[in-house]
């Protein structure tokens, strides 16, 4: 096999070798690529795993990137992002002895483990929280580029707000880029200036600018996304809707380390702790115990299937609050 | 009323990096260098500003370094176009790729993690306001400089007929290199405005095509400093409008495309026929 | 004779190599204060190269130049910034300042006073691109004069000037010389040399082959020195029965000072009609209208049929043009001779075959042109960019005359080419006439028209001011009409 | 650039690239070795390199086509995107046997590119608008248009990403080597290069096109309509780039995705110039850049060289290669 110029473990014990392919967002996207990478790094420190990352410049790179890694002797290869699903199918067929995992998509191949998330579930709670806490009865959602994935966040959030108070206005804006930090800040300025006091920021690096704007404004709050961003501006980020890509990646890595190669698909929602809100480390007092308790009740309702948060704009239009 | 004021303020903030980049474009093009690398100039300016401010803790040093970096990058185009007979457009494309690759790589090397720098000491809102004022003043000053000073005359002559400049006993290569250095410094300042004026960090891709909008502004403004600054302001207002009007039925992509569509419209001459400098883009 | 007061400039052993080519091959030259010195030589003899070396615009491979002051160079092709004003062009690089600012008032005044001093009348605020060539040339000279040169070199300054403008130019040069400057003029017009210069140097193949005081030499001797033998005689004109071929009625084209304002005339097959006139009286508009490259009003007919359509259709109908700017309007410089000769005829047999260009036919045509016109080139595969101006012109003329043209429009076909080549080109035009073509010859040199034309029309301010047949050619009268006499 | 300067430049480039790799903590020698191995090390590697070569070849030929006519088309990227978009929309909508569907899809791509190039051509022909700026602006508009359509009206219901529905398998381009992504598009590209080479050298159309490019005034006097040439040349150039976009859709991705191209249209400008605007040399140049594109992936995997270093090196290469004069071989002698 093809060991490349990489160092081998000195001892006879097998060293765990893990690799991932990013989508075109690449490392540093402040979103799921970074989160997956954190998962790999956890495995590195925990199991002394050797890790490698292949970044993709275009959609045409996915297949060769996966193939290059399949040619190397990696124990598990992670495909980060739904865009790679078709290419992964090809590669998984060509390399039936290799093991793969994909994030955000379901792949039917026997040697692929699939992990998807119910972003709308966690976003629903975020929306509910925002609707409870808002003083201006106006809250905002700030997305990166309008896309079906982002709409799961947007729509779940709006539904959660509606659940609490149909009169709360949800302002939705998209930066048009995951990288335009300045525009992120300016849009946040427009949203806060327009009366929203809480904005759910799901805009990759553009979100850095939005948080910057929020920090400078009194009575302005944000909800973070993907990873726990609460500490970025303690007390002003109400919570973060975490999507535990890192945990999922690490979990698969642990199983591989233990000699089991997972396959099949799992959908991680609130119940599985795949998504969820953070622990309000800095904002408990601000939010208040009553609201926190109510959020817990909502969470239970979703876990129990009593509330099914919508994931598309059509479903949102049809969504009626359950009114627990 | 307050909303209108907010809108104008937003438009100004949106326009400022465009103004800097467009002024840089005007200087270069009037000297005969068609500078596609404005985007790269913004990028290295923004990055270097943030990186130096991080290392020294002094955003003013960052500002100076950002200007130097912009000057260096665009100066490279100037030198290549006057000494090595390069095709300016191709070289500009190369420089943009180089700037994007080098800064992204430098973020990893210097800060250990890809994507963005940590937060750095920035110029603050006073600094931001000052830079907005600087942009406006620079446009006025450049216009006066173009019209009223010997250097303005030489620069304009150089963009029209470098051969004539040569036979007037001046060195058109030198003039062009100086123009790209000056233009690059101004583009770098535009980048600094983004990373240290408006924000307090550098993040990959944060220039987001502003250098290309600036090229459109140069045409729309008919290659004059005031015209280009005015066009940049108009484009800034368009983006601000886009922010405000979003999701009112108009696709946001259409709103985002407006500056580019406006530039295309300008090519039809509906804003009045203006000619590019005769030797614009012609290497020596 | 003007008093000479020592050398203003001295060049010793100048050599200039371009690769293996030796363009200037050991030239010694001395220019005296107060003299007008003519430099002649056939195309490619090395004149422009030498001029640039004298002015310090080009470094010699060997030898040295000593001068007692700045050397000004007026280029063969103007080097002015078209979109700037006259005063801006003149002061460029030596701008008067007030503080940081450019002192425009002082600059204008400087131009005015210079213009007065040398009787070079121009409006300092005019934008250069709006000026006729003669005036633009004045601006170029003013710009050099503003530098107060001790030596002024002018490379073919008269190629684009009308006779009156030429006289005015030499008057200016003379007054400049009288103040102690040395003047060197490169020219192909030998008559000027005899009438205006004090001394003449003739170059050939990079070397000096004749030095003489003009008083002690003759036009013929200079020409023989240039060509290295006898200048070929003109072809004889045979008697042909002219038949109506081309006619224009009330032709109008262009606008502004150089417009054509209603010209009616005909050119018969088997005759050369010369258009006499000072440049800028509508000649360009006339030729461009016939070629179909500019919009026009009025009618044109060819053998009684209306002449219409785009330039390609006109070429197909047998109307051939020799444009004024051979490098831009006639040739594709990087291309070979063989590829260039097809231009304009590429859409028709025999050069076209189906979708393709017939290479053999192109090669045959190119070989024929090279032979008949004595084109000096390594082969028909040589790029025309590598040919000297005269040889480029021969290719253009050869192509225009190749397919038995019915009408030939020749705009200054011998401009800037040496006497030998010029004589050849003129002969070929006469032969085309003998073969029955209708030839319209635009020339600013009356001598050329008197030598070659069967009939002369004088063009003044866009209209035909007079007509002369060969037997009744009257140099003085034609000259007067050209200058606007009633 | 003289041969010696080119050698010096190449050496400097390699040195900078090596330095960047070392800075990134990678072993430069291992990096270069990985590059070559990843591009040429086996049948699969070679076939991927040829996939990249093909992807570059279409826009490079498009660029050369326009340049030869004196038109600086830097919009191949946008034309490729719009071509891919059209192909993706047509391919997803069309239910027909492959021998009908595939030509239709490819022609739809060519039509999309032609429209995009034609806009710039029309601006140039009708108003004399500078095609450099027009094509530059159209690149950005193309990206926005694609995103709008693919996320909005034409979004595939099943897809999570910004992409159209998958093409039916029968509409995929036939592969040349089973198990690889190398399709007949390579043959089409080579045939196109051959055809263009013949067209430039032999045909009347090519003659007129190049005359208009090299000497517009002379061409106009020879009856060549410059406006028409600008329109035709930019339209056809766009069609070639759009066709290339369609081959990516029908041959590689089997759907249109907004991340279809990593900037093939920009790299193509360098490829075209390195190939001296000569279609046959462009084939070689595209292969060289194909090696860089495909080998760089392995560089990441085996030598841990970050992708940004590759972008940086590509930028340097383009900068250096721009030093070849393309316009006027006859230098102003002053
Ligand atoms: N930059 C150059 N590179 C190579 N060769 C050159 C260059 N400039 C001039 N030459 C060569 O030098 C020779 C002399 O050219 P030059 O321009 O001095 O001729 P000339 O006497 O001015 O001719 P003409 O009467 O046509 O103006 C020519 O044969 C030409 O080929
Ligand atoms: N790069 C070059 N390589 C070879 N020869 C050159 C080059 N540049 C110029 N020349 C030669 O220099 C000479 C002078 O060029 P120039 O443009 O002055 O033409 P010319 O011969 O003077 O024609 P004209 O009659 O129009 O003045 C020409 O003979 C041309 O062949
Ligand atoms: Mg000469
Ligand atoms: Mg000459």
């Amino acid at each position: 096999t093809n060991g490349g110029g990489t160092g081998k473990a000195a001892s006879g014990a097998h060293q765990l070798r893990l690799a991932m392919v990013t989508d075109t967002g690449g490392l540093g996207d402040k979103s799921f690529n970074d989160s997956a990478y954190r998962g790999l790094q956890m495995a590195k420190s925990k199991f002394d795993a050797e890790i490698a990352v292949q970044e993709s410049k275009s959609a045409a790179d996915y297949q060769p990137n996966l193939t290059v890694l399949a040619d190397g002797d990696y124990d598990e290869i992670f495909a980060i992002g739904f865009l790679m699903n078709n290419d992964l199918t090809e590669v998984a067929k060509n390399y039936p002895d290799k093991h793969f995992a994909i994030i955000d998509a379901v792949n039917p191949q026997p040697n692929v483990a699939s992990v998807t998330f119910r972003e709308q579930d966690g976003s629903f709670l975020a929306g509910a929280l925002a609707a409870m806490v808002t003083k201006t009865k106006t809250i905002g959602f700030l997305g990166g580029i309008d896309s079906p994935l982002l709409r799961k966040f947007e729509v779940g959030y709006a539904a959660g707000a509606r659940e609490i108070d149909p009169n709360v206005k949800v302002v939705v804006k998209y930066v048009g880029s995951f990288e335009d930090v300045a525009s992120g800040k300016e849009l946040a300025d427009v949203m806060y200036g327009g009366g929203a006091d809480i904005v759910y920021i799901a805009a990759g690096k553009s979100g850095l600018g939005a948080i910057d704007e929020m920090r400078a404004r009194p009575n302005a709050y944000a909800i973070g996304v993907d990873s726990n961003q609460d500490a970025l501006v303690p007390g002003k980020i109400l919570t973060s809707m975490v999507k535990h890509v890192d945990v999922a990646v690490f979990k698969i890595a642990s199983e591989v380390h233990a000699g089991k190669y997972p396959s099949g698909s799992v959908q991680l929602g609130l119940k599985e702790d795949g998504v969820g809100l953070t622990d309000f480390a800095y904002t408990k007092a601000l939010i208040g115990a009553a609201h926190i308790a109510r959020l817990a009740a909502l969470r239970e309702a979703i876990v129990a299937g009593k509330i099914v948060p919508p994931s598309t704009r059509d479903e949102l239009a049809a969504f009626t609050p359950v009114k627990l | 009323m307050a909303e209108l004021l907010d809108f104008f303020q937003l438009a100004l903030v949106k326009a400022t990096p465009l103004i800097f980049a467009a002024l840089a474009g005007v200087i270069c093009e009037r000297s005969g260098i068609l500078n596609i690398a404005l985007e790269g100039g913004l990028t290295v300016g923004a990055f270097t500003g943030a990186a130096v401010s991080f290392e020294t803790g002094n955003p003013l040093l960052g500002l100076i370094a950002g200007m130097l970096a912009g000057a260096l990058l665009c100066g490279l185009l100037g030198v290549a176009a006057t000494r090595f007979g390069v095709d300016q457009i191709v070289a500009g494309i190369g420089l943009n790729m180089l700037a994007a690759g080098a800064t992204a790589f430098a973020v990893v090397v210097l800060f250990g993690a890809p994507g963005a720098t940590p937060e750095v000491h920035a110029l603050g809102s006073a600094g931001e306001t000052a830079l907005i004022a600087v942009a406006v003043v620079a446009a006025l000053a450049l216009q006066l400089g173009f019209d009223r000073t010997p250097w303005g005359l030489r620069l304009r002559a150089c963009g029209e007929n470098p051969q004539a400049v040569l036979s007037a006993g001046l060195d058109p290569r030198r003039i062009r290199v100086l123009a790209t250095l000056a233009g690059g410094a101004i583009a770098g300042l535009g980048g600094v405005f983004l990373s240290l004026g408006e924000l307090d960090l550098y993040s990959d891709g944060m220039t987001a095509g502003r250098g290309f909008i600036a090229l459109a502004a140069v045409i729309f403004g008919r290659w004059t400093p005031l015209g280009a600054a005015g066009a940049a302001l108009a484009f800034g207002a368009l983006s601000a409008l886009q922010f405000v009007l979003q999701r009112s039925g108009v696709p946001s992509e259409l709103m985002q495309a407006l500056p580019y569509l406006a530039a295309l419209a300008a090519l039809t001459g509906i804003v009045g026929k203006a000619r590019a400098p005769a030797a614009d883009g012609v290497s020596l | 004779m003007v008093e000479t007061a020592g050398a203003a400039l001295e060049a010793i052993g100048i050599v200039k190599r371009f690769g293996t080519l030796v363009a200037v091959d050991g030239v010694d030259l001395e220019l005296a204060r107060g003299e007008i010195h003519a430099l002649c030589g056939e195309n490619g003899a090395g004149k422009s190269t030498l001029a640039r070396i004298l002015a310090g615009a080009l470094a010699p491979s060997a030898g040295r130049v000593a001068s007692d002051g700045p050397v000004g160079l007026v280029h063969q092709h103007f080097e002015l910034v078209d979109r700037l004003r006259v005063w801006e062009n003149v002061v460029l690089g030596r701008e008067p300042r007030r503080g940081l600012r450019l002192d425009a008032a002082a600059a204008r005044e400087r131009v005015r006073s210079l213009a007065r001093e040398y009787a070079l009348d121009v409006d300092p605020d005019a934008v250069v691109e709006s000026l006729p060539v003669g005036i633009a040339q004045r601006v170029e000279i003013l710009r050099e004069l503003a530098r107060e040169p001790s030596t002024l070199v002018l490379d073919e300054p008269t190629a684009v000037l009308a006779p009156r403008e030429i006289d005015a130019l030499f008057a200016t040069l003379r007054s400049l010389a009288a103040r102690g400057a040395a003047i060197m003029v490169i020219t192909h017009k030998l008559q000027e040399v005899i009438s205006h210069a004090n001394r003449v140097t003739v170059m050939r193949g990079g070397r000096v082959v004749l030095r003489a005081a003009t008083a002690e030499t003759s036009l013929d001797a200079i020409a023989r020195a240039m060509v290295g033998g006898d200048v070929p005689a003109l072809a004889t004109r045979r008697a042909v029965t002219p038949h109506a071929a081309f006619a224009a009625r009330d032709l109008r084209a262009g606008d502004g000072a150089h417009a054509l304002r209603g010209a009616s005339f005909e050119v018969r097959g088997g005759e050369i009609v010369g258009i006499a006139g000072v440049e800028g009286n509508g000649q360009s508009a006339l030729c461009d209208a016939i070629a179909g490259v500019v919009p026009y009003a009025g009618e044109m007919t060819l053998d009684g049929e209306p002449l219409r359509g785009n330039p390609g259709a006109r070429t197909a109908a047998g109307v051939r043009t020799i444009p004024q700017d051979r490098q831009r309007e006639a040739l594709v410089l990087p291309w070979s001779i063989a590829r260039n000769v097809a231009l304009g005829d590429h859409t028709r047999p025999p050069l076209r075959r189906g979708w393709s260009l017939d290479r053999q036919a192109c090669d045959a045509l190119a070989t024929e042109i090279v032979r008949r016109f004595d084109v000096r080139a390594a082969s028909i595969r040589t790029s025309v960019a590598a040919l000297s101006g005269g040889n480029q012109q021969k290719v253009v003329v050869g192509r225009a005359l190749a397919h038995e043209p019915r009408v030939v429009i020749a705009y200054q076909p011998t401009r800037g080419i040496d006497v030998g080549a010029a004589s050849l080109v003129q002969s070929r035009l006469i032969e085309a006439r003998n073969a029955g073509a209708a030839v319209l010859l635009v020339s600013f040199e009356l001598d050329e028209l008197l030598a070659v034309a069967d009939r002369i029309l004088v063009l003044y301010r866009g209209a035909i001011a007079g007509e002369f047949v060969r037997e009744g050619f009257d140099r003085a009268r034609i000259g007067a009409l050209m200058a606007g006499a009633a | 650039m003289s041969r010696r300067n080119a050698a010096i430049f190449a050496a400097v480039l390699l040195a900078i690239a090596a330095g960047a790799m070392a800075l990134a903590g990678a072993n430069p020698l291992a990096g270069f070795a990985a590059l070559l191995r990843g591009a040429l090390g086996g049948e699969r590697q070679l076939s991927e390199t040829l996939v990249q070569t093909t992807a570059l070849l279409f826009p490079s030929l498009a660029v050369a086509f326009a340049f030869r006519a004196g038109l600086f088309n830097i919009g191949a990227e946008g034309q490729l995107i719009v071509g891919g978009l059209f192909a993706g929309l047509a391919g997803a909508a069309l239910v027909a046997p492959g021998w009908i569907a595939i030509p239709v899809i490819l022609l739809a791509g060519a039509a999309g590119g032609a429209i995009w190039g034609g806009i710039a051509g029309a601006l140039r022909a009708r108003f004399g608008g500078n095609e450099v700026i027009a094509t530059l602006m159209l690149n950005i508009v193309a990206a926005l248009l694609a995103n709008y359509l693919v996320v909005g009206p034409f979004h595939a219901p099943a897809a999570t990403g910004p992409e159209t529905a998958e093409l039916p398998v029968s509409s995929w381009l036939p592969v040349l080597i089973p198990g690889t992504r190398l399709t007949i598009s390579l043959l089409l590209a080579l045939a196109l290069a051959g055809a263009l080479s013949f067209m430039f050298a032999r045909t009347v159309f090519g003659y007129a096109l190049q005359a208009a490019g090299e000497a517009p005034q002379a061409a106009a006097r020879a009856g060549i309509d410059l406006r028409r040439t600008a329109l035709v040349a930019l339209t056809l150039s766009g069609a070639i780039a759009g066709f290339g976009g369609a081959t990516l859709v029908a041959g590689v991705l089997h759907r249109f995705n907004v991340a279809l191209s990593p900037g093939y249209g920009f790299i193509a400008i360098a490829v075209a110039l390195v190939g001296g605007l000569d279609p046959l040399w462009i084939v070689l140049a595209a292969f060289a850049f194909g090696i860089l594109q495909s080998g760089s992936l392995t560089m990441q995997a085996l030598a841990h060289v970050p992708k940004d270093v590759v972008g940086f090196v590509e930028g340097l290469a383009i900068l250096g290669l721009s030093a070849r004069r393309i316009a006027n071989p006859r230098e102003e002698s002053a």
Side-chain angles (χ1 to χ4, degrees), chain C residues 43-44 47-48 76-77 155-156 188 326 389-390 416-417:
Chain C
N43 296 121
K47 305 180 294 294
S48 298
Q76 191 167 348
H77 310 284
D155 194 353
E156 299 195 34
H188 289 291
R326 59 180 162 253
I417 64 178

Side-chain angles (χ1 to χ4, degrees), chain B residues 10 28 31 50 56 59 78 103 120 136 141 155 171 198 209 226 229 233 266 277-278:
Chain B
L10 178 61
C28 293
S31 83
T56 64
T103 49
V120 302
V136 175
L155 187 86
D171 182 356
E198 245 197 295
L226 279 184
L233 205 55

Side-chain angles (χ1 to χ4, degrees), chain B residues 20-21 24 37-56 58-75 99 103 120-121 123 131 180-197 202 206-207:
Chain B
F20 280 125
L38 292 176
E39 180 78 3
L42 287 172
T43 304
V44 297
F47 168 77
T48 312
V52 168
S53 177
F54 180 84
E55 295 295 340
T56 64
N58 183 344
L60 274 177
L61 283 181
L63 182 147
I64 293 167
M67 292 180 73
L68 285 177
L72 192 71
L73 188 89
C74 295
T103 49
V120 302
H121 289 284
L123 297 164
L131 280 180
T180 51
L181 286 172
I186 294 178
L189 189 56
V192 169
F193 175 82
L194 287 173
S195 67
L196 296 181
Y202 170 83
M206 75 188 295
T207 54

Side-chain angles (χ1 to χ4, degrees), chain A residues 141 143-146 151 154 172-176 187 313, chain B residues 246:
Chain A
F141 172 84
I145 297 176
D146 195 353
R151 285 181 189 171
E154 170 202 323
V172 175
K173 297 213 184 272
Y174 282 89
V175 182
L187 262 176
R313 287 184 186 158
Chain B
Q246 239 191 47

Side-chain angles (χ1 to χ4, degrees), chain D residues 168-184:
Chain D
V169 177
S170 60
S171 300
W172 297 6
L173 290 183
V175 291
L176 289 180
I177 305 171
T180 71
R181 301 198 295 175
L182 186 61
T183 66
I184 57 162

Side-chain angles (χ1 to χ4, degrees), chain C residues 18 21 42-45 47-49 52 76-77 155-156 188 325-327 383-393 414-418, chain D residues 329-334:
Chain C
F18 294 110
L21 178 104
E42 61 180 352
N43 296 121
K47 305 180 294 294
S48 298
T49 306
R52 297 219 306 273
Q76 191 167 348
H77 310 284
D155 194 353
E156 299 195 34
H188 289 291
D325 183 340
R326 59 180 162 253
Q327 296 195 343
S383 143
V384 296
L387 302 182
S388 81
N391 285 305
Q392 289 173 348
Q393 184 71 7
T414 59
R415 171 191 281 182
I417 64 178
D418 66 53
Chain D
R330 182 186 155 106
E331 289 178 29
E332 191 52 51
S333 40

